[in-house]
Amino acid sequence: MKIAFVGKGGSGKTTLSSLFIRHLAAAGRPVIAVDADINQHLGPALGLTDDQAASLPSLGAHLPQIKDYLRGENPLIGSADQMIKTTPPGRGSRLLRIVEENPVYAACARPVALDEGSVRLLVTGAFTEADLGVACYHSKVGAVELLLNHLVDGRDEYVVTDMTAGSDSFASGLFTRFDLTFLVAEPTRKGISVYRQYKEYARDFGVALRVIGNKVQGPDDLAFLRREAGDDLLAAFGHSEWVRRLEQGAEPPLRTLEPANRAVLELLRHEADAAHDRRDPQRYTRQAVQFHLRNAESWGNAKAGIDLATQVDEEFVLGSDRAATAGAHA
Ligand SMILES: Nc1ncnc2c1ncn2[C@@H]1O[C@H](COP(=O)(O)OP(=O)(O)OP(=O)(O)O)[C@@H](O)[C@H]1O
Ligand SMILES: [Mg+2]
């Protein structure tokens, strides 16, 4: 399952995604945690020290290697140089699985031990001084789009992505690459305005979106969220002393999280699992192609010096089980 956490800056995306990740890991589920935010905070939220987090390898720095691996023997992709972030997989491409060893994980993923269970963490990498004025953040996030487009994941295994704030997510096709998007909203007009905007952009692409209220302090807050988000509201996570202790540097075990908040995490898991049955691999693949063609036309063809539309393998559909490894439906 491919799950994203989005929302306004400071709404609690990192807090809730890290707690959701911990909740899944505690249940023994395989999880890949992805930090795709320009401000990289997921590592520390999962318990890494700042030094450990700073020394994580970044996806952004390994793009050529990642492209070369994913390209595999795909005859439609001449070289890694001709691969852009949206180049879709086709027959011959190498696909990734959540539970496996591969050169991409060896280079970029790091195991993070939690108080219950452990996960693999991938980070896009921070915006460095060398990037100022020459690179845009979307080139780093592109690595995540590429990975998700090549990832075959099944029921009960998860990629959980902490996304960049607000509607910056729409700068690429990344927002369409998830089975379910949790929009974290504080019970405020600003929190809800990001939800409205997201819903509008997401509507045209059939993005499954549920609102998670956060820092909810009482019945009035809840009533506000219900009124504003209606049926899109899935759950409300309370203002949490446990989260506050965490923020103060304590390392409270997950089992001591307030029961009502733990119940919210379980609800999120149910919702994520239910999204599995609504998957549509054909649509998923079609959208990947659609974004590729748009990117090819707007900048990719000029950059690569070839017509990147020729990279599309019309016969290929990204499968969702191990059985569909080859991906092609023929
Ligand atoms: N339920 C909660 N109870 C108490 N404090 C919370 C809760 N959720 C988040 N916070 C606090 O709010 C602040 C912002 O949370 P967080 O960093 O998770 O937000 P974010 O959306 O990831 O922010 P950014 O946009 O900067 O990445 C943090 O100090 C966090 O500890
Ligand atoms: Mg954050």
Side-chain angles (χ1 to χ4, degrees):
M1 305 304 297
K2 297 167 178 163
I3 311 294
F5 282 77
V6 303
K8 189 175 91 60
S11 57
K13 298 177 292 297
T14 303
T15 303
L16 292 192
S17 53
S18 67
L19 282 171
F20 184 54
I21 289 163
R22 291 177 66 171
H23 181 69
L24 294 172
R29 304 295 171 88
V31 185
I32 294 181
V34 181
D35 193 347
D37 193 0
I38 187 163
N39 300 309
Q40 301 255 290
H41 292 143
L42 188 59
L46 291 171
L48 297 187
T49 63
D50 288 344
D51 283 348
Q52 286 170 328
S55 62
L56 290 169
S58 75
L59 289 167
H62 291 83
L63 257 179
Q65 202 181 331
I66 294 171
K67 287 176 177 172
D68 206 43
Y69 179 73
L70 296 178
R71 181 171 75 92
E73 314 268 293
N74 185 333
L76 302 179
I77 308 171
S79 70
D81 294 343
Q82 293 176 358
M83 217 169 154
I84 62 171
K85 64 183 179 178
T86 51
T87 296
R91 284 166 293 179
S93 291
R94 288 200 184 98
L95 303 177
L96 303 171
R97 280 162 200 79
I98 293 196
V99 183
E100 69 171 3
E101 299 307 323
N102 61 49
V104 176
Y105 297 163
C108 302
R110 290 295 171 264
V112 178
L114 305 167
D115 71 298
E116 292 178 68
S118 72
V119 298
R120 274 182 163 135
L121 174 63
L122 288 165
V123 306
T124 51
F127 208 68
T128 62
E129 249 171 63
D131 298 323
L132 282 178
V134 289
C136 72
Y137 187 64
H138 309 125
S139 63
K140 292 180 189 291
V141 174
V144 180
E145 196 169 348
L146 205 50
L147 292 188
L148 293 178
N149 275 340
H150 286 77
L151 184 74
V152 179
D153 56 302
R155 206 181 268 285
D156 295 336
E157 41 181 36
Y158 308 80
V159 188
V160 180
T161 305
D162 181 11
M163 295 273 279
T164 192
S167 39
D168 282 357
S169 317
F170 299 107
S172 78
L174 186 56
F175 76 99
T176 68
R177 306 292 80 205
F178 300 98
D179 297 302
L180 185 59
T181 299
F182 289 128
L183 186 133
V184 182
E186 289 179 67
T188 60
R189 272 159 50 195
K190 275 193 182 150
I192 283 296
S193 73
V194 170
Y195 153 66
R196 291 243 169 75
Q197 206 178 15
Y198 212 102
K199 188 173 164 114
E200 199 169 303
Y201 286 126
R203 188 181 297 133
D204 299 342
F205 294 92
V207 170
L209 185 69
R210 297 308 306 268
V211 175
I212 314 300
N214 189 27
K215 309 185 198 179
V216 170
Q217 300 222 19
D220 291 349
D221 281 356
L222 193 57
F224 174 85
L225 287 168
R226 282 224 178 90
R227 200 167 59 237
E228 301 292 331
D231 289 344
D232 286 339
L233 181 68
L234 174 67
F237 197 93
H239 182 87
S240 162
E241 284 305 314
W242 189 97
V243 169
R244 174 67 84 185
R245 297 288 90 76
L246 192 72
E247 196 72 9
Q248 290 169 345
E251 288 175 29
L254 184 63
R255 63 183 157 72
T256 62
L257 180 68
E258 296 91 356
N261 288 332
R262 187 72 190 253
V264 168
L265 300 179
E266 182 59 11
L267 196 58
L268 263 55
R269 185 172 74 79
H270 274 280
E271 192 69 11
D273 291 349
H276 189 273
D277 299 331
R278 295 193 292 269
R279 279 184 161 188
D280 180 351
Q282 307 269 355
R283 191 187 71 179
Y284 194 85
T285 306
R286 206 167 50 239
Q287 284 182 338
V289 168
Q290 186 184 344
F291 275 99
H292 179 57
L293 296 178
R294 276 193 193 185
N295 278 271
E297 246 174 59
S298 80
W299 60 274
N301 290 345
K303 182 169 181 253
I306 56 161
D307 178 11
L308 295 176
T310 58
Q311 293 178 331
V312 176
D313 178 352
E314 301 283 356
E315 292 296 307
F316 181 87
V317 175
L318 187 72
S320 55
D321 310 287
R322 268 152 207 283
T325 307
H329 55 185

